[in-house]
């Protein structure tokens, strides 16, 4: 593959460029006594790989930011972010997971029910991310590149004190 087909360090425009994006792990954490679900996203290409940490809220913001890209595709016969055969919206964290979390003991192990909800949240985010990345315009957008690359291999400051 020629270097001209690659854009930046986060994948090229060729869907066969070897870009693999997987949510490797998820966790329920407390930031200022508020529960958050964070995901560790592994991004791999043939010559490099990295991990980024994203709050589930970042997925929802990405969904919102990509709305214009996907809406323009829907208007031209492409996939829209409408759930009707197009790309569905990113699912939120199950509210019962956040409601059942207790900041009084943030190091306590998750209950079986909480663990199941956390896995459901991770799977929903992974399915959404995989579908979004299958749309070239979304995959190549600057906002997606920032989502997949910014802070690569760095633990964001708000998560550094979390054990």
């Amino acid at each position: 593959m020629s270097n001209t087909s690659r854009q930046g360090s986060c994948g090229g425009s060729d869907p066969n460029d070897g870009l693999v994006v997987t949510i490797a792990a998820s966790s329920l954490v407390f930031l200022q006594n508020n529960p958050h679900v964070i995901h560790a996203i592994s991004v791999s290409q043939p010559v490099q790989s990295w991990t980024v940490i994203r709050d589930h809220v970042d997925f929802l913001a990405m969904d919102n930011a990509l709305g214009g890209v996907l809406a323009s595709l829907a208007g031209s016969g492409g996939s829209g972010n409408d759930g009707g055969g197009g790309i569905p919206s990113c699912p939120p964290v199950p509210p019962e997971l956040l409601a059942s979390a207790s900041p009084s003991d943030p190091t306590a192990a998750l209950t079986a029910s909480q663990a199941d909800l956390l896995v459901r949240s991770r799977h929903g985010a992974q399915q959404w991310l995989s579908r979004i990345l299958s749309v070239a315009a979304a995959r190549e957008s600057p906002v997606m590149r920032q989502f997949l690359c910014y802070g690569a291999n760095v633990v964001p400051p708000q998560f550094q004190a979390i054990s």
Side-chain angles (χ1 to χ4, degrees), residues 119-157:
V119 168
R120 188 171 93 193
S121 178
R122 181 173 64 234
H123 284 270
Q126 178 67 61
Q127 288 176 336
W128 174 81
L129 188 57
S130 295
R131 295 216 33 215
I132 286 292
L133 290 170
S134 71
V135 178
R139 182 179 60 250
E140 297 167 7
S141 70
V143 69
M144 180 59 76
R145 290 186 182 281
Q146 180 171 350
F147 181 79
L148 294 177
C149 298
Y150 182 76
N153 297 326
V154 174
V155 176

PDB file of all heavy atoms in Angstrom, residues 119-157:
ATOM      1  N   VAL A 119     -20.913  -5.603  31.042  1.00  0.00           N
ATOM      2  CA  VAL A 119     -20.613  -6.334  29.800  1.00  0.00           C
ATOM      3  C   VAL A 119     -21.595  -5.927  28.710  1.00  0.00           C
ATOM      4  O   VAL A 119     -21.206  -5.715  27.554  1.00  0.00           O
ATOM      5  CB  VAL A 119     -20.630  -7.860  30.042  1.00  0.00           C
ATOM      6  CG1 VAL A 119     -20.611  -8.631  28.738  1.00  0.00           C
ATOM      7  CG2 VAL A 119     -19.456  -8.261  30.917  1.00  0.00           C
ATOM      8  N   ARG A 120     -22.856  -5.772  29.059  1.00  0.00           N
ATOM      9  CA  ARG A 120     -23.866  -5.340  28.075  1.00  0.00           C
ATOM     10  C   ARG A 120     -23.523  -3.952  27.529  1.00  0.00           C
ATOM     11  O   ARG A 120     -23.631  -3.705  26.331  1.00  0.00           O
ATOM     12  CB  ARG A 120     -25.250  -5.346  28.721  1.00  0.00           C
ATOM     13  CG  ARG A 120     -26.359  -5.108  27.731  1.00  0.00           C
ATOM     14  CD  ARG A 120     -27.701  -5.348  28.363  1.00  0.00           C
ATOM     15  NE  ARG A 120     -28.195  -4.085  28.885  1.00  0.00           N
ATOM     16  CZ  ARG A 120     -29.219  -3.967  29.706  1.00  0.00           C
ATOM     17  NH1 ARG A 120     -29.850  -5.037  30.149  1.00  0.00           N
ATOM     18  NH2 ARG A 120     -29.605  -2.790  30.121  1.00  0.00           N
ATOM     19  N   SER A 121     -23.072  -3.069  28.410  1.00  0.00           N
ATOM     20  CA  SER A 121     -22.671  -1.729  27.987  1.00  0.00           C
ATOM     21  C   SER A 121     -21.485  -1.799  27.032  1.00  0.00           C
ATOM     22  O   SER A 121     -21.465  -1.130  25.992  1.00  0.00           O
ATOM     23  CB  SER A 121     -22.315  -0.891  29.219  1.00  0.00           C
ATOM     24  OG  SER A 121     -21.884   0.383  28.849  1.00  0.00           O
ATOM     25  N   ARG A 122     -20.481  -2.621  27.373  1.00  0.00           N
ATOM     26  CA  ARG A 122     -19.301  -2.765  26.515  1.00  0.00           C
ATOM     27  C   ARG A 122     -19.674  -3.345  25.156  1.00  0.00           C
ATOM     28  O   ARG A 122     -19.230  -2.855  24.119  1.00  0.00           O
ATOM     29  CB  ARG A 122     -18.236  -3.625  27.189  1.00  0.00           C
ATOM     30  CG  ARG A 122     -16.986  -3.763  26.324  1.00  0.00           C
ATOM     31  CD  ARG A 122     -15.840  -4.471  27.007  1.00  0.00           C
ATOM     32  NE  ARG A 122     -16.156  -5.839  27.331  1.00  0.00           N
ATOM     33  CZ  ARG A 122     -16.053  -6.367  28.551  1.00  0.00           C
ATOM     34  NH1 ARG A 122     -15.625  -5.655  29.558  1.00  0.00           N
ATOM     35  NH2 ARG A 122     -16.361  -7.623  28.765  1.00  0.00           N
ATOM     36  N   HIS A 123     -20.520  -4.365  25.144  1.00  0.00           N
ATOM     37  CA  HIS A 123     -20.919  -4.982  23.874  1.00  0.00           C
ATOM     38  C   HIS A 123     -21.701  -4.002  23.003  1.00  0.00           C
ATOM     39  O   HIS A 123     -21.496  -3.949  21.789  1.00  0.00           O
ATOM     40  CB  HIS A 123     -21.726  -6.255  24.115  1.00  0.00           C
ATOM     41  CG  HIS A 123     -20.891  -7.417  24.534  1.00  0.00           C
ATOM     42  ND1 HIS A 123     -20.333  -8.299  23.660  1.00  0.00           N
ATOM     43  CD2 HIS A 123     -20.498  -7.816  25.778  1.00  0.00           C
ATOM     44  CE1 HIS A 123     -19.633  -9.207  24.330  1.00  0.00           C
ATOM     45  NE2 HIS A 123     -19.712  -8.927  25.612  1.00  0.00           N
ATOM     46  N   GLY A 124     -22.594  -3.239  23.624  1.00  0.00           N
ATOM     47  CA  GLY A 124     -23.353  -2.247  22.868  1.00  0.00           C
ATOM     48  C   GLY A 124     -22.449  -1.192  22.257  1.00  0.00           C
ATOM     49  O   GLY A 124     -22.598  -0.818  21.093  1.00  0.00           O
ATOM     50  N   ALA A 125     -21.486  -0.718  23.047  1.00  0.00           N
ATOM     51  CA  ALA A 125     -20.537   0.283  22.540  1.00  0.00           C
ATOM     52  C   ALA A 125     -19.667  -0.308  21.431  1.00  0.00           C
ATOM     53  O   ALA A 125     -19.395   0.351  20.425  1.00  0.00           O
ATOM     54  CB  ALA A 125     -19.673   0.807  23.682  1.00  0.00           C
ATOM     55  N   GLN A 126     -19.239  -1.574  21.585  1.00  0.00           N
ATOM     56  CA  GLN A 126     -18.413  -2.230  20.562  1.00  0.00           C
ATOM     57  C   GLN A 126     -19.188  -2.398  19.256  1.00  0.00           C
ATOM     58  O   GLN A 126     -18.662  -2.133  18.183  1.00  0.00           O
ATOM     59  CB  GLN A 126     -17.924  -3.592  21.052  1.00  0.00           C
ATOM     60  CG  GLN A 126     -17.090  -4.345  20.016  1.00  0.00           C
ATOM     61  CD  GLN A 126     -15.761  -3.676  19.731  1.00  0.00           C
ATOM     62  OE1 GLN A 126     -14.950  -3.525  20.627  1.00  0.00           O
ATOM     63  NE2 GLN A 126     -15.518  -3.276  18.490  1.00  0.00           N
ATOM     64  N   GLN A 127     -20.435  -2.832  19.351  1.00  0.00           N
ATOM     65  CA  GLN A 127     -21.246  -3.001  18.135  1.00  0.00           C
ATOM     66  C   GLN A 127     -21.440  -1.668  17.433  1.00  0.00           C
ATOM     67  O   GLN A 127     -21.314  -1.579  16.211  1.00  0.00           O
ATOM     68  CB  GLN A 127     -22.599  -3.636  18.468  1.00  0.00           C
ATOM     69  CG  GLN A 127     -22.490  -5.093  18.832  1.00  0.00           C
ATOM     70  CD  GLN A 127     -23.831  -5.679  19.255  1.00  0.00           C
ATOM     71  OE1 GLN A 127     -24.734  -4.976  19.697  1.00  0.00           O
ATOM     72  NE2 GLN A 127     -23.949  -6.982  19.127  1.00  0.00           N
ATOM     73  N   TRP A 128     -21.728  -0.622  18.203  1.00  0.00           N
ATOM     74  CA  TRP A 128     -21.909   0.700  17.610  1.00  0.00           C
ATOM     75  C   TRP A 128     -20.611   1.165  16.948  1.00  0.00           C
ATOM     76  O   TRP A 128     -20.620   1.616  15.798  1.00  0.00           O
ATOM     77  CB  TRP A 128     -22.358   1.703  18.678  1.00  0.00           C
ATOM     78  CG  TRP A 128     -22.415   3.093  18.151  1.00  0.00           C
ATOM     79  CD1 TRP A 128     -23.426   3.661  17.425  1.00  0.00           C
ATOM     80  CD2 TRP A 128     -21.408   4.099  18.276  1.00  0.00           C
ATOM     81  NE1 TRP A 128     -23.100   4.956  17.101  1.00  0.00           N
ATOM     82  CE2 TRP A 128     -21.868   5.242  17.613  1.00  0.00           C
ATOM     83  CE3 TRP A 128     -20.163   4.128  18.896  1.00  0.00           C
ATOM     84  CZ2 TRP A 128     -21.123   6.418  17.553  1.00  0.00           C
ATOM     85  CZ3 TRP A 128     -19.418   5.294  18.822  1.00  0.00           C
ATOM     86  CH2 TRP A 128     -19.902   6.429  18.165  1.00  0.00           C
ATOM     87  N   LEU A 129     -19.506   1.036  17.656  1.00  0.00           N
ATOM     88  CA  LEU A 129     -18.224   1.478  17.126  1.00  0.00           C
ATOM     89  C   LEU A 129     -17.858   0.720  15.850  1.00  0.00           C
ATOM     90  O   LEU A 129     -17.419   1.312  14.863  1.00  0.00           O
ATOM     91  CB  LEU A 129     -17.134   1.324  18.188  1.00  0.00           C
ATOM     92  CG  LEU A 129     -15.760   1.903  17.892  1.00  0.00           C
ATOM     93  CD1 LEU A 129     -15.838   3.397  17.575  1.00  0.00           C
ATOM     94  CD2 LEU A 129     -14.839   1.668  19.085  1.00  0.00           C
ATOM     95  N   SER A 130     -18.077  -0.585  15.850  1.00  0.00           N
ATOM     96  CA  SER A 130     -17.777  -1.393  14.653  1.00  0.00           C
ATOM     97  C   SER A 130     -18.625  -0.955  13.470  1.00  0.00           C
ATOM     98  O   SER A 130     -18.123  -0.857  12.350  1.00  0.00           O
ATOM     99  CB  SER A 130     -18.006  -2.874  14.945  1.00  0.00           C
ATOM    100  OG  SER A 130     -17.100  -3.331  15.922  1.00  0.00           O
ATOM    101  N   ARG A 131     -19.892  -0.685  13.718  1.00  0.00           N
ATOM    102  CA  ARG A 131     -20.769  -0.250  12.616  1.00  0.00           C
ATOM    103  C   ARG A 131     -20.363   1.130  12.114  1.00  0.00           C
ATOM    104  O   ARG A 131     -20.353   1.374  10.911  1.00  0.00           O
ATOM    105  CB  ARG A 131     -22.227  -0.267  13.060  1.00  0.00           C
ATOM    106  CG  ARG A 131     -22.644  -1.700  13.360  1.00  0.00           C
ATOM    107  CD  ARG A 131     -24.016  -2.146  13.043  1.00  0.00           C
ATOM    108  NE  ARG A 131     -24.707  -1.619  11.928  1.00  0.00           N
ATOM    109  CZ  ARG A 131     -26.019  -1.413  11.928  1.00  0.00           C
ATOM    110  NH1 ARG A 131     -26.737  -1.665  13.003  1.00  0.00           N
ATOM    111  NH2 ARG A 131     -26.612  -0.945  10.852  1.00  0.00           N
ATOM    112  N   ILE A 132     -20.026   2.032  13.024  1.00  0.00           N
ATOM    113  CA  ILE A 132     -19.604   3.375  12.619  1.00  0.00           C
ATOM    114  C   ILE A 132     -18.317   3.294  11.798  1.00  0.00           C
ATOM    115  O   ILE A 132     -18.174   3.958  10.780  1.00  0.00           O
ATOM    116  CB  ILE A 132     -19.397   4.278  13.857  1.00  0.00           C
ATOM    117  CG1 ILE A 132     -20.741   4.678  14.454  1.00  0.00           C
ATOM    118  CG2 ILE A 132     -18.561   5.500  13.554  1.00  0.00           C
ATOM    119  CD1 ILE A 132     -21.574   5.596  13.595  1.00  0.00           C
ATOM    120  N   LEU A 133     -17.378   2.461  12.232  1.00  0.00           N
ATOM    121  CA  LEU A 133     -16.105   2.347  11.511  1.00  0.00           C
ATOM    122  C   LEU A 133     -16.268   1.683  10.154  1.00  0.00           C
ATOM    123  O   LEU A 133     -15.370   1.765   9.313  1.00  0.00           O
ATOM    124  CB  LEU A 133     -15.085   1.590  12.360  1.00  0.00           C
ATOM    125  CG  LEU A 133     -14.579   2.364  13.576  1.00  0.00           C
ATOM    126  CD1 LEU A 133     -13.771   1.460  14.496  1.00  0.00           C
ATOM    127  CD2 LEU A 133     -13.778   3.586  13.161  1.00  0.00           C
ATOM    128  N   SER A 134     -17.395   1.048   9.899  1.00  0.00           N
ATOM    129  CA  SER A 134     -17.633   0.459   8.582  1.00  0.00           C
ATOM    130  C   SER A 134     -18.054   1.512   7.565  1.00  0.00           C
ATOM    131  O   SER A 134     -18.098   1.247   6.365  1.00  0.00           O
ATOM    132  CB  SER A 134     -18.696  -0.646   8.665  1.00  0.00           C
ATOM    133  OG  SER A 134     -19.980  -0.094   8.890  1.00  0.00           O
ATOM    134  N   VAL A 135     -18.345   2.724   8.032  1.00  0.00           N
ATOM    135  CA  VAL A 135     -18.720   3.836   7.154  1.00  0.00           C
ATOM    136  C   VAL A 135     -17.463   4.682   6.922  1.00  0.00           C
ATOM    137  O   VAL A 135     -16.951   5.295   7.861  1.00  0.00           O
ATOM    138  CB  VAL A 135     -19.845   4.687   7.784  1.00  0.00           C
ATOM    139  CG1 VAL A 135     -20.195   5.873   6.898  1.00  0.00           C
ATOM    140  CG2 VAL A 135     -21.070   3.829   8.062  1.00  0.00           C
ATOM    141  N   ALA A 136     -16.976   4.678   5.695  1.00  0.00           N
ATOM    142  CA  ALA A 136     -15.701   5.347   5.392  1.00  0.00           C
ATOM    143  C   ALA A 136     -15.696   6.811   5.829  1.00  0.00           C
ATOM    144  O   ALA A 136     -14.720   7.279   6.415  1.00  0.00           O
ATOM    145  CB  ALA A 136     -15.379   5.232   3.906  1.00  0.00           C
ATOM    146  N   ALA A 137     -16.772   7.537   5.562  1.00  0.00           N
ATOM    147  CA  ALA A 137     -16.798   8.969   5.908  1.00  0.00           C
ATOM    148  C   ALA A 137     -16.682   9.167   7.413  1.00  0.00           C
ATOM    149  O   ALA A 137     -16.034  10.114   7.874  1.00  0.00           O
ATOM    150  CB  ALA A 137     -18.078   9.614   5.380  1.00  0.00           C
ATOM    151  N   ALA A 138     -17.281   8.305   8.192  1.00  0.00           N
ATOM    152  CA  ALA A 138     -17.178   8.409   9.650  1.00  0.00           C
ATOM    153  C   ALA A 138     -15.793   7.978  10.121  1.00  0.00           C
ATOM    154  O   ALA A 138     -15.174   8.636  10.957  1.00  0.00           O
ATOM    155  CB  ALA A 138     -18.255   7.560  10.321  1.00  0.00           C
ATOM    156  N   ARG A 139     -15.293   6.866   9.564  1.00  0.00           N
ATOM    157  CA  ARG A 139     -13.983   6.332   9.952  1.00  0.00           C
ATOM    158  C   ARG A 139     -12.874   7.339   9.664  1.00  0.00           C
ATOM    159  O   ARG A 139     -11.920   7.462  10.415  1.00  0.00           O
ATOM    160  CB  ARG A 139     -13.726   5.016   9.209  1.00  0.00           C
ATOM    161  CG  ARG A 139     -12.426   4.339   9.571  1.00  0.00           C
ATOM    162  CD  ARG A 139     -12.213   3.033   8.834  1.00  0.00           C
ATOM    163  NE  ARG A 139     -12.173   3.187   7.399  1.00  0.00           N
ATOM    164  CZ  ARG A 139     -13.121   2.747   6.557  1.00  0.00           C
ATOM    165  NH1 ARG A 139     -14.177   2.119   7.003  1.00  0.00           N
ATOM    166  NH2 ARG A 139     -13.000   2.929   5.256  1.00  0.00           N
ATOM    167  N   GLU A 140     -12.992   8.076   8.568  1.00  0.00           N
ATOM    168  CA  GLU A 140     -11.943   9.010   8.151  1.00  0.00           C
ATOM    169  C   GLU A 140     -12.139  10.421   8.689  1.00  0.00           C
ATOM    170  O   GLU A 140     -11.323  11.294   8.431  1.00  0.00           O
ATOM    171  CB  GLU A 140     -11.885   9.036   6.627  1.00  0.00           C
ATOM    172  CG  GLU A 140     -11.503   7.688   6.045  1.00  0.00           C
ATOM    173  CD  GLU A 140     -11.730   7.592   4.552  1.00  0.00           C
ATOM    174  OE1 GLU A 140     -12.070   8.619   3.929  1.00  0.00           O
ATOM    175  OE2 GLU A 140     -11.561   6.498   4.022  1.00  0.00           O
ATOM    176  N   SER A 141     -13.200  10.642   9.449  1.00  0.00           N
ATOM    177  CA  SER A 141     -13.470  11.992   9.937  1.00  0.00           C
ATOM    178  C   SER A 141     -12.456  12.407  10.997  1.00  0.00           C
ATOM    179  O   SER A 141     -11.939  11.566  11.747  1.00  0.00           O
ATOM    180  CB  SER A 141     -14.886  12.071  10.518  1.00  0.00           C
ATOM    181  OG  SER A 141     -14.951  11.333  11.724  1.00  0.00           O
ATOM    182  N   PRO A 142     -12.155  13.699  11.060  1.00  0.00           N
ATOM    183  CA  PRO A 142     -11.213  14.184  12.085  1.00  0.00           C
ATOM    184  C   PRO A 142     -11.671  13.860  13.509  1.00  0.00           C
ATOM    185  O   PRO A 142     -10.846  13.541  14.360  1.00  0.00           O
ATOM    186  CB  PRO A 142     -11.181  15.699  11.851  1.00  0.00           C
ATOM    187  CG  PRO A 142     -11.557  15.870  10.410  1.00  0.00           C
ATOM    188  CD  PRO A 142     -12.547  14.770  10.130  1.00  0.00           C
ATOM    189  N   VAL A 143     -12.971  13.910  13.757  1.00  0.00           N
ATOM    190  CA  VAL A 143     -13.461  13.644  15.108  1.00  0.00           C
ATOM    191  C   VAL A 143     -13.229  12.175  15.487  1.00  0.00           C
ATOM    192  O   VAL A 143     -12.887  11.872  16.628  1.00  0.00           O
ATOM    193  CB  VAL A 143     -14.937  14.090  15.262  1.00  0.00           C
ATOM    194  CG1 VAL A 143     -15.884  13.229  14.466  1.00  0.00           C
ATOM    195  CG2 VAL A 143     -15.339  14.133  16.710  1.00  0.00           C
ATOM    196  N   MET A 144     -13.361  11.261  14.535  1.00  0.00           N
ATOM    197  CA  MET A 144     -13.094   9.848  14.824  1.00  0.00           C
ATOM    198  C   MET A 144     -11.603   9.626  15.027  1.00  0.00           C
ATOM    199  O   MET A 144     -11.187   8.886  15.914  1.00  0.00           O
ATOM    200  CB  MET A 144     -13.608   8.945  13.699  1.00  0.00           C
ATOM    201  CG  MET A 144     -13.347   7.460  13.954  1.00  0.00           C
ATOM    202  SD  MET A 144     -14.084   6.799  15.466  1.00  0.00           S
ATOM    203  CE  MET A 144     -15.777   6.650  14.972  1.00  0.00           C
ATOM    204  N   ARG A 145     -10.792  10.277  14.229  1.00  0.00           N
ATOM    205  CA  ARG A 145      -9.342  10.151  14.404  1.00  0.00           C
ATOM    206  C   ARG A 145      -8.912  10.625  15.791  1.00  0.00           C
ATOM    207  O   ARG A 145      -8.101   9.995  16.451  1.00  0.00           O
ATOM    208  CB  ARG A 145      -8.597  10.909  13.319  1.00  0.00           C
ATOM    209  CG  ARG A 145      -8.749  10.234  11.983  1.00  0.00           C
ATOM    210  CD  ARG A 145      -7.883  10.910  10.937  1.00  0.00           C
ATOM    211  NE  ARG A 145      -8.110  10.253   9.674  1.00  0.00           N
ATOM    212  CZ  ARG A 145      -7.570   9.099   9.316  1.00  0.00           C
ATOM    213  NH1 ARG A 145      -6.750   8.487  10.131  1.00  0.00           N
ATOM    214  NH2 ARG A 145      -7.837   8.556   8.152  1.00  0.00           N
ATOM    215  N   GLN A 146      -9.499  11.731  16.237  1.00  0.00           N
ATOM    216  CA  GLN A 146      -9.164  12.227  17.577  1.00  0.00           C
ATOM    217  C   GLN A 146      -9.650  11.239  18.627  1.00  0.00           C
ATOM    218  O   GLN A 146      -8.936  10.949  19.594  1.00  0.00           O
ATOM    219  CB  GLN A 146      -9.773  13.599  17.815  1.00  0.00           C
ATOM    220  CG  GLN A 146      -9.424  14.119  19.198  1.00  0.00           C
ATOM    221  CD  GLN A 146      -9.809  15.556  19.418  1.00  0.00           C
ATOM    222  OE1 GLN A 146     -10.172  16.269  18.513  1.00  0.00           O
ATOM    223  NE2 GLN A 146      -9.713  15.997  20.650  1.00  0.00           N
ATOM    224  N   PHE A 147     -10.843  10.702  18.454  1.00  0.00           N
ATOM    225  CA  PHE A 147     -11.405   9.741  19.403  1.00  0.00           C
ATOM    226  C   PHE A 147     -10.503   8.517  19.535  1.00  0.00           C
ATOM    227  O   PHE A 147     -10.272   8.020  20.632  1.00  0.00           O
ATOM    228  CB  PHE A 147     -12.801   9.327  18.933  1.00  0.00           C
ATOM    229  CG  PHE A 147     -13.503   8.352  19.831  1.00  0.00           C
ATOM    230  CD1 PHE A 147     -14.115   8.776  20.998  1.00  0.00           C
ATOM    231  CD2 PHE A 147     -13.578   7.007  19.499  1.00  0.00           C
ATOM    232  CE1 PHE A 147     -14.785   7.880  21.824  1.00  0.00           C
ATOM    233  CE2 PHE A 147     -14.246   6.106  20.312  1.00  0.00           C
ATOM    234  CZ  PHE A 147     -14.848   6.544  21.481  1.00  0.00           C
ATOM    235  N   LEU A 148      -9.971   8.039  18.420  1.00  0.00           N
ATOM    236  CA  LEU A 148      -9.152   6.827  18.429  1.00  0.00           C
ATOM    237  C   LEU A 148      -7.674   7.080  18.723  1.00  0.00           C
ATOM    238  O   LEU A 148      -6.950   6.131  19.012  1.00  0.00           O
ATOM    239  CB  LEU A 148      -9.272   6.094  17.087  1.00  0.00           C
ATOM    240  CG  LEU A 148     -10.639   5.511  16.766  1.00  0.00           C
ATOM    241  CD1 LEU A 148     -10.639   4.881  15.383  1.00  0.00           C
ATOM    242  CD2 LEU A 148     -11.067   4.503  17.826  1.00  0.00           C
ATOM    243  N   CYS A 149      -7.234   8.331  18.630  1.00  0.00           N
ATOM    244  CA  CYS A 149      -5.795   8.595  18.756  1.00  0.00           C
ATOM    245  C   CYS A 149      -5.399   9.492  19.917  1.00  0.00           C
ATOM    246  O   CYS A 149      -4.317   9.313  20.493  1.00  0.00           O
ATOM    247  CB  CYS A 149      -5.279   9.235  17.467  1.00  0.00           C
ATOM    248  SG  CYS A 149      -5.448   8.190  16.040  1.00  0.00           S
ATOM    249  N   TYR A 150      -6.206  10.476  20.256  1.00  0.00           N
ATOM    250  CA  TYR A 150      -5.798  11.446  21.259  1.00  0.00           C
ATOM    251  C   TYR A 150      -5.545  10.757  22.601  1.00  0.00           C
ATOM    252  O   TYR A 150      -6.371  10.002  23.093  1.00  0.00           O
ATOM    253  CB  TYR A 150      -6.852  12.544  21.424  1.00  0.00           C
ATOM    254  CG  TYR A 150      -6.438  13.591  22.416  1.00  0.00           C
ATOM    255  CD1 TYR A 150      -5.493  14.558  22.075  1.00  0.00           C
ATOM    256  CD2 TYR A 150      -6.953  13.596  23.701  1.00  0.00           C
ATOM    257  CE1 TYR A 150      -5.090  15.508  22.990  1.00  0.00           C
ATOM    258  CE2 TYR A 150      -6.550  14.545  24.624  1.00  0.00           C
ATOM    259  CZ  TYR A 150      -5.618  15.495  24.261  1.00  0.00           C
ATOM    260  OH  TYR A 150      -5.211  16.432  25.175  1.00  0.00           O
ATOM    261  N   GLY A 151      -4.409  11.024  23.167  1.00  0.00           N
ATOM    262  CA  GLY A 151      -4.047  10.439  24.453  1.00  0.00           C
ATOM    263  C   GLY A 151      -3.677   8.974  24.359  1.00  0.00           C
ATOM    264  O   GLY A 151      -3.816   8.231  25.326  1.00  0.00           O
ATOM    265  N   ALA A 152      -3.175   8.556  23.205  1.00  0.00           N
ATOM    266  CA  ALA A 152      -2.800   7.155  23.020  1.00  0.00           C
ATOM    267  C   ALA A 152      -1.763   6.736  24.042  1.00  0.00           C
ATOM    268  O   ALA A 152      -0.784   7.443  24.289  1.00  0.00           O
ATOM    269  CB  ALA A 152      -2.263   6.936  21.607  1.00  0.00           C
ATOM    270  N   ASN A 153      -2.008   5.574  24.648  1.00  0.00           N
ATOM    271  CA  ASN A 153      -1.104   4.969  25.634  1.00  0.00           C
ATOM    272  C   ASN A 153      -0.841   5.862  26.848  1.00  0.00           C
ATOM    273  O   ASN A 153       0.188   5.730  27.503  1.00  0.00           O
ATOM    274  CB  ASN A 153       0.215   4.550  24.971  1.00  0.00           C
ATOM    275  CG  ASN A 153      -0.008   3.487  23.922  1.00  0.00           C
ATOM    276  OD1 ASN A 153      -0.898   2.640  24.059  1.00  0.00           O
ATOM    277  ND2 ASN A 153       0.782   3.532  22.871  1.00  0.00           N
ATOM    278  N   VAL A 154      -1.780   6.749  27.137  1.00  0.00           N
ATOM    279  CA  VAL A 154      -1.667   7.637  28.286  1.00  0.00           C
ATOM    280  C   VAL A 154      -2.942   7.491  29.116  1.00  0.00           C
ATOM    281  O   VAL A 154      -4.042   7.513  28.574  1.00  0.00           O
ATOM    282  CB  VAL A 154      -1.509   9.109  27.839  1.00  0.00           C
ATOM    283  CG1 VAL A 154      -1.533  10.049  29.021  1.00  0.00           C
ATOM    284  CG2 VAL A 154      -0.248   9.284  27.022  1.00  0.00           C
ATOM    285  N   VAL A 155      -2.786   7.339  30.415  1.00  0.00           N
ATOM    286  CA  VAL A 155      -3.949   7.297  31.292  1.00  0.00           C
ATOM    287  C   VAL A 155      -4.384   8.746  31.523  1.00  0.00           C
ATOM    288  O   VAL A 155      -3.586   9.559  31.991  1.00  0.00           O
ATOM    289  CB  VAL A 155      -3.628   6.606  32.630  1.00  0.00           C
ATOM    290  CG1 VAL A 155      -4.823   6.669  33.568  1.00  0.00           C
ATOM    291  CG2 VAL A 155      -3.191   5.168  32.391  1.00  0.00           C
ATOM    292  N   PRO A 156      -5.630   9.085  31.161  1.00  0.00           N
ATOM    293  CA  PRO A 156      -6.088  10.464  31.373  1.00  0.00           C
ATOM    294  C   PRO A 156      -5.985  10.858  32.845  1.00  0.00           C
ATOM    295  O   PRO A 156      -6.156  10.017  33.742  1.00  0.00           O
ATOM    296  CB  PRO A 156      -7.560  10.415  30.928  1.00  0.00           C
ATOM    297  CG  PRO A 156      -7.630   9.262  29.982  1.00  0.00           C
ATOM    298  CD  PRO A 156      -6.647   8.256  30.523  1.00  0.00           C
ATOM    299  N   PRO A 157      -5.683  12.117  33.115  1.00  0.00           N
ATOM    300  CA  PRO A 157      -5.464  12.567  34.495  1.00  0.00           C
ATOM    301  C   PRO A 157      -6.608  12.203  35.441  1.00  0.00           C
ATOM    302  O   PRO A 157      -6.367  11.842  36.586  1.00  0.00           O
ATOM    303  CB  PRO A 157      -5.320  14.081  34.374  1.00  0.00           C
ATOM    304  CG  PRO A 157      -4.954  14.327  32.961  1.00  0.00           C
ATOM    305  CD  PRO A 157      -5.520  13.206  32.154  1.00  0.00           C
TER     306      PRO A 157
END
